Amino acid sequence: MKSATTTVTIAASERYAYLDLTEDLERAIKDAGVTDGAVIAFCEHTTCALLINEWEDGALADFRRRVTGMIPDADVYYEHDDFAIRTQNMHEDERANGHAHVKAMLLSATSHAIPVVAGAPGLGTWQRLIFFEMDEPKDRRITFHVFGS
Amino acid sequence: MKSATTTVTIAASERYAYLDLTEDLERAIKDAGVTDGAVIAFCEHTTCALLINEWEDGALADFRRRVTGMIPDADVYYEHDDFAIRTQNMHEDERANGHAHVKAMLLSATSHAIPVVAGAPGLGTWQRLIFFEMDEPKDRRITFHVFGS
Amino acid sequence: MKSATTTVTIAASERYAYLDLTEDLERAIKDAGVTDGAVIAFCEHTTCALLINEWEDGALADFRRRVTGMIPDADVYYEHDDFAIRTQNMHEDERANGHAHVKAMLLSATSHAIPVVAGAPGLGTWQRLIFFEMDEPKDRRITFHVFGS
C-alpha cells in the first residue's frame, strides 16, 4: 500500500474563470507510483469549487450563466457582506463575496473521490477535473491524496 | 489491506428515469471481501448523476420536477447546443444536452465515499444509491472502488 | 496502514439549524492514530446535509434563505407528502418533509473525502465541517472513516 499527498497552487484569471486540472491530477497519481487505487481531490477554499464535467466552452458558459442567475452576485442582500452588523471572521482584505459562499454550499463540490485504474484517473471519455473560481481570483490550493498499490 | 475496482454498465429506460444501484454496491463489497473499510461509487459520465436518498416514487418525482424547473430542457438557450458556433468535442451523434451538463455540474454528484461496516455499505435506514439519467438514455458505466480489511 | 470507523450522534435545535462538526472530525482522526491519510465524513440520512464552508452566521443565514427560496417548504406541492396517494415507505411518524428530500438531492452533500495531514484534517483556513438540518430536528448519525499511516 502506497499513499501520497501533494498540493498544487493555482489562480484563475478572473471571477467565474475555469481551469482544467486533469493533468495535475494525472501527475499526482504518477508521482505517487500508484497503479490501482483511488485519488481524492480536495479544494481548500470556501468560495470556489471542483467540478467533474466536459471541458467545452459553451457548456461551461451555460453553467456560469445559470448559476449566477440563480445566485446573483449583485442587487441581492447578503448578510455576509453587511459589514455594519457582521462581527465574525473579519479580516483586512474582507470582500463582498457572500454570493460565492452561497454558490459553493449549493454546489457542495469541495471534494471528489476518483478510482485509479492502470496508473491513471478512471475518468470517462468526456470527464475533466475542472476548477471553478467564483470569487475574485487569488492563489488557491488543491490537494490530491492518492492511495493504493 | 484488500482493494478491488469493479464496473457495472446500466441503462435507464428514458430521460429522467432513476435506477436503484444499492444491490450493485452491496455486491461490489461482497466480491471484494472487505468487511471494514470504505467504498467509492463513481459515475463515468457528464450528463447523469449518482444520488444518495430515499427510493420513494413521490420524492423522486418531486426532485425531477424541481430540477427541470430550475434548469429547463427546452425554451432556454444553451451555448453547448448551438452547433452553428460550437467547435469543441463535436462528434457524430452530438445531441442537444446542454441542460443536462448544467444539471450535472449543479448537482456535483459524480462520486460518493461510503463507509463499509460489517461487510455492507454503512447506509442509513432510508438511504439508497440511486442513478439519475438526465440525458437521452444510453449505456452508462458506474465504477466501485472498495478498500479495507 | 491503520483505519477506524466511528460515529457521532447529534441533534440540531430546530429546522434549518447548523452544527459545527469540525472538532468531532478532528477527534476521529486523533482517536484513529492516523498521521497521513484521509477521512470520509458520511451523513446517514436523507433530509440533512454535510457542508464544508466558513462558519459565519451571515453566510449561513444567506445560504438558508437562498435554498429555502429555491425549494420552499410550504405552498408548493410535494408528491412525497401526498399521503392520499403515497404507498411506499410509510411509517408511523411520517412527516411532510418532501422539500427536505429535494434539497438534500440538490445539494448532494451526503459525503466528503478530506486529506489527513500531520494528524489533522487538511482543511483550509476558513473551512469547517458543518451539519445542516433541513427537516424537523431529531437524532442524526454522522460516520467518520479514517485511514492511513
Side-chain angles (χ1 to χ4, degrees), chain C residues 6 12-13 17 27-28 31 33 44 49 54-55 59 66 69-71 76 79 84-85 101 121 125 134 144 149:
Chain C
T6 53
S13 56
R27 193 173 310 116
D31 288 352
E44 293 190 11
E54 181 177 345
W55 185 281
R66 303 296 304 183
M70 292 164 68
I71 312 291
V76 169
E79 195 173 318
I85 63 166
H101 284 284
T125 308
M134 298 183 286
F144 301 111
S149 58

Short mmCIF file of all heavy atoms in Angstrom, two decimals, chain C residues 6 12-13 17 27-28 31 33 44 49 54-55 59 66 69-71 76 79 84-85 101 121 125 134 144 149:
data_model
loop_
_atom_site.label_atom_id
_atom_site.label_comp_id
_atom_site.label_asym_id
_atom_site.label_seq_id
_atom_site.Cartn_x
_atom_site.Cartn_y
_atom_site.Cartn_z
N THR C 6 -15.85 5.54 13.17
CA THR C 6 -16.54 5.96 14.39
C THR C 6 -17.79 6.76 14.01
O THR C 6 -17.87 7.31 12.92
CB THR C 6 -15.64 6.84 15.27
OG1 THR C 6 -15.12 7.92 14.47
CG2 THR C 6 -14.47 6.05 15.83
N ALA C 12 -29.82 18.85 15.93
CA ALA C 12 -29.90 20.31 15.81
C ALA C 12 -31.04 20.81 16.70
O ALA C 12 -31.91 20.05 17.11
CB ALA C 12 -30.15 20.70 14.36
N SER C 13 -31.03 22.10 16.99
CA SER C 13 -32.04 22.66 17.89
C SER C 13 -33.37 22.91 17.17
O SER C 13 -34.42 22.91 17.79
CB SER C 13 -31.53 23.97 18.47
OG SER C 13 -31.19 24.86 17.42
N ALA C 17 -31.19 24.62 11.36
CA ALA C 17 -30.05 24.95 12.22
C ALA C 17 -28.79 24.28 11.69
O ALA C 17 -28.85 23.27 10.97
CB ALA C 17 -30.31 24.50 13.65
N ARG C 27 -11.31 14.84 16.32
CA ARG C 27 -11.21 13.79 17.35
C ARG C 27 -11.18 12.40 16.71
O ARG C 27 -10.42 11.52 17.14
CB ARG C 27 -12.39 13.91 18.32
CG ARG C 27 -12.20 13.07 19.59
CD ARG C 27 -13.31 13.33 20.61
NE ARG C 27 -13.48 14.75 20.83
CZ ARG C 27 -14.60 15.45 20.53
NH1 ARG C 27 -15.65 14.84 20.03
NH2 ARG C 27 -14.65 16.75 20.74
N ALA C 28 -11.97 12.21 15.67
CA ALA C 28 -11.99 10.90 15.00
C ALA C 28 -10.61 10.57 14.44
O ALA C 28 -10.16 9.41 14.50
CB ALA C 28 -13.03 10.90 13.88
N ASP C 31 -8.22 9.81 17.42
CA ASP C 31 -8.54 8.50 18.01
C ASP C 31 -8.09 7.35 17.11
O ASP C 31 -7.77 6.27 17.61
CB ASP C 31 -10.05 8.39 18.28
CG ASP C 31 -10.50 9.26 19.43
OD1 ASP C 31 -9.63 9.84 20.12
OD2 ASP C 31 -11.73 9.39 19.65
N GLY C 33 -5.43 7.45 15.36
CA GLY C 33 -3.97 7.44 15.37
C GLY C 33 -3.35 7.58 13.99
O GLY C 33 -2.23 7.15 13.76
N GLU C 44 -25.77 9.72 7.52
CA GLU C 44 -26.61 8.53 7.28
C GLU C 44 -28.09 8.87 7.04
O GLU C 44 -28.94 8.01 7.27
CB GLU C 44 -26.50 7.57 8.47
CG GLU C 44 -25.13 6.95 8.63
CD GLU C 44 -25.11 5.82 9.66
OE1 GLU C 44 -26.19 5.38 10.10
OE2 GLU C 44 -24.00 5.38 10.02
N ALA C 49 -27.70 17.50 5.56
CA ALA C 49 -26.52 17.54 4.71
C ALA C 49 -25.28 17.89 5.51
O ALA C 49 -25.36 18.46 6.61
CB ALA C 49 -26.71 18.57 3.59
N GLU C 54 -17.34 28.20 5.46
CA GLU C 54 -16.99 29.06 6.58
C GLU C 54 -18.12 29.09 7.60
O GLU C 54 -19.29 29.16 7.22
CB GLU C 54 -16.73 30.48 6.05
CG GLU C 54 -16.32 31.47 7.12
CD GLU C 54 -16.00 32.86 6.55
OE1 GLU C 54 -15.82 32.99 5.32
OE2 GLU C 54 -15.93 33.81 7.35
N TRP C 55 -17.77 29.06 8.90
CA TRP C 55 -18.78 29.25 9.93
C TRP C 55 -18.85 30.75 10.23
O TRP C 55 -18.10 31.29 11.03
CB TRP C 55 -18.43 28.48 11.21
CG TRP C 55 -19.56 28.62 12.20
CD1 TRP C 55 -19.83 29.68 13.00
CD2 TRP C 55 -20.61 27.68 12.42
NE1 TRP C 55 -20.97 29.47 13.72
CE2 TRP C 55 -21.48 28.24 13.40
CE3 TRP C 55 -20.92 26.41 11.92
CZ2 TRP C 55 -22.62 27.58 13.85
CZ3 TRP C 55 -22.05 25.75 12.38
CH2 TRP C 55 -22.88 26.33 13.34
N ALA C 59 -23.19 34.27 6.45
CA ALA C 59 -23.11 33.39 5.28
C ALA C 59 -24.06 32.21 5.43
O ALA C 59 -24.74 31.80 4.47
CB ALA C 59 -21.68 32.91 5.07
N ARG C 66 -31.48 31.46 0.69
CA ARG C 66 -31.49 31.17 -0.75
C ARG C 66 -32.01 29.77 -1.05
O ARG C 66 -32.77 29.57 -2.00
CB ARG C 66 -30.09 31.34 -1.36
CG ARG C 66 -29.44 32.70 -1.15
CD ARG C 66 -30.15 33.85 -1.83
NE ARG C 66 -30.32 33.65 -3.26
CZ ARG C 66 -30.85 34.53 -4.09
NH1 ARG C 66 -31.30 35.70 -3.62
NH2 ARG C 66 -30.98 34.27 -5.36
N GLY C 69 -35.64 29.60 -0.51
CA GLY C 69 -36.31 30.34 -1.58
C GLY C 69 -36.41 29.49 -2.84
O GLY C 69 -37.44 29.49 -3.53
N MET C 70 -35.36 28.75 -3.15
CA MET C 70 -35.35 27.91 -4.35
C MET C 70 -36.27 26.70 -4.19
O MET C 70 -36.92 26.29 -5.15
CB MET C 70 -33.92 27.44 -4.65
CG MET C 70 -33.00 28.56 -5.09
SD MET C 70 -31.25 28.08 -4.99
CE MET C 70 -31.17 26.86 -6.28
N ILE C 71 -36.25 26.10 -3.02
CA ILE C 71 -37.05 24.89 -2.75
C ILE C 71 -37.88 25.18 -1.49
O ILE C 71 -37.48 24.85 -0.37
CB ILE C 71 -36.12 23.67 -2.50
CG1 ILE C 71 -35.04 23.54 -3.57
CG2 ILE C 71 -36.95 22.39 -2.36
CD1 ILE C 71 -35.53 23.15 -4.94
N VAL C 76 -46.09 24.76 -1.83
CA VAL C 76 -45.67 24.07 -3.05
C VAL C 76 -46.10 22.61 -2.89
O VAL C 76 -46.01 22.06 -1.80
CB VAL C 76 -44.13 24.15 -3.23
CG1 VAL C 76 -43.67 23.21 -4.33
CG2 VAL C 76 -43.71 25.57 -3.55
N GLU C 79 -45.23 15.57 -3.97
CA GLU C 79 -45.89 14.27 -4.09
C GLU C 79 -45.51 13.36 -2.91
O GLU C 79 -46.31 12.54 -2.47
CB GLU C 79 -45.45 13.66 -5.43
CG GLU C 79 -46.28 12.49 -5.90
CD GLU C 79 -45.88 12.06 -7.31
OE1 GLU C 79 -45.64 12.93 -8.19
OE2 GLU C 79 -45.78 10.84 -7.54
N ALA C 84 -52.49 10.80 0.54
CA ALA C 84 -53.68 10.19 -0.06
C ALA C 84 -53.30 9.21 -1.17
O ALA C 84 -54.04 8.26 -1.44
CB ALA C 84 -54.59 11.28 -0.63
N ILE C 85 -52.16 9.45 -1.82
CA ILE C 85 -51.79 8.55 -2.93
C ILE C 85 -50.52 7.74 -2.64
O ILE C 85 -50.27 6.74 -3.27
CB ILE C 85 -51.57 9.34 -4.25
CG1 ILE C 85 -50.39 10.33 -4.13
CG2 ILE C 85 -52.85 10.08 -4.65
CD1 ILE C 85 -49.93 10.87 -5.47
N HIS C 101 -36.17 16.38 1.22
CA HIS C 101 -35.58 15.39 0.31
C HIS C 101 -35.07 16.06 -0.95
O HIS C 101 -33.98 15.74 -1.44
CB HIS C 101 -36.63 14.32 -0.05
CG HIS C 101 -36.89 13.32 1.02
ND1 HIS C 101 -36.02 12.29 1.31
CD2 HIS C 101 -37.91 13.20 1.90
CE1 HIS C 101 -36.51 11.57 2.31
NE2 HIS C 101 -37.65 12.11 2.69
N PRO C 121 -7.30 17.17 9.92
CA PRO C 121 -7.92 17.30 8.60
C PRO C 121 -7.27 18.43 7.81
O PRO C 121 -7.00 19.49 8.36
CB PRO C 121 -9.39 17.63 8.93
CG PRO C 121 -9.39 18.14 10.33
CD PRO C 121 -8.23 17.49 11.02
N THR C 125 -7.95 27.55 5.68
CA THR C 125 -8.11 28.49 6.80
C THR C 125 -9.55 28.66 7.27
O THR C 125 -9.82 28.66 8.48
CB THR C 125 -7.59 29.88 6.36
OG1 THR C 125 -6.27 29.71 5.84
CG2 THR C 125 -7.56 30.84 7.54
N MET C 134 -32.32 20.02 7.64
CA MET C 134 -33.33 20.62 6.78
C MET C 134 -34.74 20.10 7.10
O MET C 134 -35.73 20.54 6.52
CB MET C 134 -32.98 20.37 5.32
CG MET C 134 -31.63 21.02 4.97
SD MET C 134 -31.14 20.86 3.24
CE MET C 134 -30.64 19.13 3.19
N PHE C 144 -17.47 8.71 10.55
CA PHE C 144 -16.15 9.07 10.03
C PHE C 144 -15.35 7.78 9.80
O PHE C 144 -15.24 6.95 10.71
CB PHE C 144 -15.38 9.94 11.04
CG PHE C 144 -16.09 11.23 11.39
CD1 PHE C 144 -16.62 11.42 12.66
CD2 PHE C 144 -16.22 12.23 10.45
CE1 PHE C 144 -17.26 12.60 12.99
CE2 PHE C 144 -16.87 13.43 10.78
CZ PHE C 144 -17.40 13.62 12.05
N SER C 149 -1.56 6.09 7.59
CA SER C 149 -0.46 5.58 8.42
C SER C 149 -0.17 6.53 9.57
O SER C 149 -0.67 7.66 9.59
CB SER C 149 0.79 5.40 7.56
OG SER C 149 1.15 6.62 6.97
#
